[in-house]
Amino acid sequence: MSSKSQIVLLIPMDTSERISSTFQYVIEGVIRQPGTWILLSILGIGNFLIDVGQKSLVHKYFHGLQLGDPVSLPQSIYPYSLYVVIILIAVGVLLMILQSGYVARIYRGISPAPPVRDMKTLFRDGFILSVIGLGYSVIPVLIGVLTVLLPLQQKIEDFRQISSTSQPLVISPELLQTIGIVIGGFVLSMLLYIILCTISFIGLIRFCRTGSVRSAFEISALLAKIGDIGWVRYLLSLLLLLFLTALFSGGIYLITLVFVIFGIIAEAIIPGINVIMTVIRILVCVFLDVLIVVFNARYLSLLYDAGTESVQEPAISSEAQEFRS
């Protein structure tokens, strides 16, 4: 058998149908439903607010808290900047949880894409989905903190003391040992994160289908489900989704780059236009990013259903059954 034939056999046969169906799902349920698209975009602002808040806190740790260019912001804001950052992050987390609640509805297999309504249910499902996701990331994050963040933080403090006293930097065995621990810890935490992330997709969808949080962490059942789908088929499908997501994100970046370039060029002619272009760029990113969120959720939901159904699933919760009907 030729190498070309072997490659073809590794490619899932239903991949093109899954991608086509997912695109149709996004078009019919979001793009052709302006109300749903707008509401999802509002929820999508949460990720942007959290990103701004996190960057502001990081900036505070190293340089003092600032929300932007000191020249363009009123000085009266700075005494309250920390409170503003906390509010931004809180609102961002709330919107992100609501968006996760909508993703939970897609994971349940609802078709076509449901409207954005019943915020109480969205918040509940999104909160549980977020907690499950955090549960899968606890071990990698803990390893990363203990082996990467804490050693680096200590060495940064040491470097600051050395630079303040003008002492020469000496590469000691202790420093080399710390570098080795940091590199090893980073590799280990990333490897565990990738493995657990691969399993967590099935766990999250399983929770949404069954309504049971416990079912999301039954590793043996999750591995059996992946085996039912087919490990090669599952991993190749995830890699393809990762490639498509990167491709879509790159396209969005190129689209928004036009506004950045135009704002920089036109600033000399029209003062303040750069700020307007920045706002437009953010809005375009938010509107297009939600399409990726819906696409990914629907793709994973179809992938979950791609098994041979030889693995017995837990009973579907009454709420999930109601959403399906």
Side-chain angles (χ1 to χ4, degrees), residues 49 51-75 77-86 88-89:
L49 295 179
D51 182 61
V52 171
Q54 289 177 338
K55 289 180 178 178
S56 299
L57 291 178
V58 171
H59 193 278
K60 176 183 183 300
Y61 179 79
F62 290 102
H63 306 288
L65 182 63
Q66 292 181 355
L67 294 178
D69 185 359
V71 177
S72 60
L73 291 179
Q75 293 295 328
I77 291 180
Y78 290 108
Y80 310 100
S81 56
L82 180 59
Y83 301 104
V84 174
V85 169
I86 294 175
L88 286 177
I89 294 178

Side-chain angles (χ1 to χ4, degrees), residues 258-281:
V258 175
F259 297 100
V260 175
I261 296 175
F262 179 80
I264 295 175
I265 296 176
E267 181 68 22
I269 303 175
I270 308 175
I273 191 65
N274 193 24
V275 176
I276 297 176
M277 289 296 102
T278 300
V279 173
I280 294 176
R281 177 179 63 84

Side-chain angles (χ1 to χ4, degrees), residues 64-324:
L65 182 63
Q66 292 181 355
L67 294 178
D69 185 359
V71 177
S72 60
L73 291 179
Q75 293 295 328
S76 58
I77 291 180
Y78 290 108
Y80 310 100
S81 56
L82 180 59
Y83 301 104
V84 174
V85 169
I86 294 175
I87 292 174
L88 286 177
I89 294 178
V91 174
V93 169
L94 174 61
L95 294 176
M96 184 190 68
I97 290 176
L98 292 174
Q99 186 185 65
S100 296
Y102 186 84
V103 168
R105 294 183 176 179
I106 300 176
Y107 281 165
R108 286 192 176 102
I110 305 173
S111 183
V116 182
R117 62 187 180 189
D118 192 1
M119 295 299 173
K120 180 179 178 180
T121 304
L122 284 181
F123 179 84
R124 182 197 63 197
D125 291 346
F127 179 79
I128 297 176
L129 208 66
S130 300
V131 170
I132 293 173
L134 288 175
Y136 273 98
S137 63
V138 165
I139 295 178
V141 169
L142 185 61
I143 292 176
V145 169
L146 294 177
T147 62
V148 179
L149 185 60
L150 293 181
L152 280 181
Q153 186 178 25
Q154 180 60 44
K155 289 305 173 183
I156 288 175
E157 293 297 330
D158 294 342
F159 291 153
R160 284 178 176 175
Q161 294 179 2
I162 293 175
S163 61
S164 62
T165 57
S166 300
Q167 295 179 359
L169 177 62
V170 179
I171 301 179
S172 61
E174 181 184 357
L175 177 60
L176 294 177
Q177 182 181 9
T178 301
I179 294 175
I181 293 175
V182 169
I183 295 176
F186 176 79
V187 172
L188 178 60
S189 61
M190 288 302 299
L191 183 60
L192 283 175
Y193 175 80
I194 293 173
I195 294 174
L196 292 177
C197 187
T198 301
I199 300 174
S200 70
F201 293 134
I202 299 298
L204 292 172
I205 299 176
R206 199 164 187 261
F207 155 72
C208 295
R209 300 291 179 92
T210 64
S212 170
V213 176
R214 179 181 178 181
S215 67
F217 294 99
E218 294 176 346
I219 302 299
S220 59
L222 302 182
L223 295 178
K225 179 62 179 179
I226 297 176
D228 182 50
I229 297 172
W231 278 96
V232 174
R233 180 194 209 181
Y234 180 70
L235 294 176
L236 286 177
S237 296
L238 290 184
L239 288 175
L240 178 60
L241 180 61
L242 181 62
F243 171 77
L244 291 175
T245 302
L247 187 64
F248 298 153
S249 300
I252 294 175
Y253 174 78
L254 292 177
I255 292 174
T256 57
L257 188 62
V258 175
F259 297 100
V260 175
I261 296 175
F262 179 80
I264 295 175
I265 296 176
E267 181 68 22
I269 303 175
I270 308 175
I273 191 65
N274 193 24
V275 176
I276 297 176
M277 289 296 102
T278 300
V279 173
I280 294 176
R281 177 179 63 84
I282 293 173
L283 292 177
V284 170
C285 282
V286 170
F287 265 82
L288 296 181
D289 280 343
V290 297
L291 301 181
I292 298 179
V293 172
V294 175
F295 181 93
N296 289 356
R298 178 60 175 176
Y299 181 95
L300 291 172
S301 180
L302 293 177
L303 180 60
Y304 185 91
D305 294 328
T308 60
E309 299 184 357
S310 61
V311 176
Q312 185 177 1
E313 294 289 338
I316 299 176
S317 66
S318 58
E319 181 184 355
Q321 186 66 45
E322 179 183 349
F323 275 119
R324 282 172 170 265

